[in-house]
Amino acid sequence: MVEELDLSALEDSYRADGQGGAGYPPAVLVALLVYCYSKGIRSSRSIERACWDDLGCRIITANRAVDHSTIARFVQRHRDALTQLFVQVLALCGNRELVDLSAVAVDGSPMDANASRDSNKQLHSLEAVIARCEDEISALMDNARDHARRVETGDTVDPDDEPPCDDWPRLSRLSDLLARARTARDRLYQRALPSANEIRIKVEAAERIVARAEKQLAAETAAHQEKVTKHRAGPRPTRPRATGPPTAGRLCPWRTRRSSSGSGPGWRRHSLTWSGPAAPSRCPPQPPLPA
């Protein structure tokens, strides 16, 4: 595989005038790195030990033990070139259908994204962002109008001395942020709305409650109408009273006598007790009080 790679970036970095000590061929070190990395051997000292113990490393290096410092200096010196080589390795694997290039992920690389913790906003945070962006945009527009008015009226000594208005990039970023915040707020409002199934369930529950209330109201109305009909039909039958002479000792509340107590004459009602067998059947009518 290494023979199919373009190693010109590595080979051009070596001297070709014959001076200096001989170094390992770049193809040998690249093959050693690729072979060890594919087996999970990443440390330069581990690669040096593999040159003694691993048969594949001994075949690649022609049975020579490469020092760990040589491997570390090679990786550090040709870092950019090796990065491009690994891209070529990935392309070769994709051409041979060894990997699926439709989904390639990079692990352990921090990057800025819209899904970061600071980008996750709640409704009150979005309202605050929208208000702040609107205020800043209004301030920038006021500054731009003031600057244009001063230039047109000639209030400045020299228009070239007036500092340039470099707020347009910031205005563009604020406008973009304002548009995205408003879109997110509208989506939150739409998400808070109940679904069609929830609306149907609530409507059915409300209809059942209304039906029970109408049934109860109809029953109460019928009972009240029945009472009104009975009242209009006539008075209720009264209990018959007992007739005959009252017994001795019955009180009559309508007999009166002159009061003998107090500072002056007066009249008061006084109940008397009938005595004897010849008591009347009922009390006499109430006499009028004297004037």
Side-chain angles (χ1 to χ4, degrees), residues 228-252:
V228 171
T229 304
K230 290 181 179 180
H231 178 72
R232 291 178 179 179
R236 294 179 298 176
T238 58
R239 181 182 300 176
R241 296 183 179 180
T243 58
T247 59
R250 187 174 180 179
L251 297 181
C252 183

Side-chain angles (χ1 to χ4, degrees), residues 87-257:
V87 174
Q88 297 181 31
V89 170
L90 184 62
L92 289 176
C93 294
N95 293 332
R96 298 182 181 182
E97 297 182 355
L98 299 178
V99 293
D100 184 10
L101 298 180
S102 61
V104 179
V106 179
D107 187 15
S109 299
M111 60 187 66
D112 295 333
N114 293 333
S116 63
R117 181 178 300 177
D118 296 335
S119 298
N120 295 329
K121 302 291 184 181
Q122 296 181 355
L123 184 59
H124 64 277
S125 302
L126 290 175
E127 295 290 351
V129 170
I130 291 173
R132 178 175 58 83
C133 291
E134 290 177 350
D135 294 340
E136 293 185 5
I137 289 174
S138 178
L140 290 177
M141 295 302 297
D142 292 340
N143 294 336
R145 284 193 295 267
D146 295 340
H147 174 75
R149 188 179 300 108
R150 288 194 303 270
V151 172
E152 291 177 358
T153 56
D155 294 341
T156 57
V157 179
D158 188 359
D160 296 336
D161 296 339
E162 185 75 14
C165 184
D166 56 350
D167 295 335
W168 302 115
R170 177 172 176 77
L171 181 62
S172 177
R173 291 192 299 270
L174 288 174
S175 300
D176 180 66
L177 179 60
L178 179 61
R180 289 189 286 110
R182 287 177 175 174
T183 303
R185 182 189 60 182
D186 296 340
R187 289 181 180 177
L188 286 179
Y189 281 139
Q190 294 177 1
R191 190 180 301 174
L193 295 177
S195 61
N197 189 25
E198 293 177 354
I199 294 175
R200 181 181 58 81
I201 293 174
K202 292 181 179 179
V203 168
E204 292 177 354
E207 290 177 352
R208 290 193 297 267
I209 294 173
V210 170
R212 288 197 299 267
E214 291 178 351
K215 185 177 180 180
Q216 183 178 1
L217 179 61
E220 293 178 355
T221 303
H224 178 70
Q225 188 67 27
E226 183 179 359
K227 290 181 180 180
V228 171
T229 304
K230 290 181 179 180
H231 178 72
R232 291 178 179 179
R236 294 179 298 176
T238 58
R239 181 182 300 176
R241 296 183 179 180
T243 58
T247 59
R250 187 174 180 179
L251 297 181
C252 183
W254 306 120
R255 302 303 297 271
T256 59
R257 71 177 181 177

Side-chain angles (χ1 to χ4, degrees), residues 8-23:
S8 58
L10 284 79
E11 295 173 352
D12 294 343
S13 61
Y14 290 91
R15 299 176 61 177
D17 53 1
Q19 299 180 3

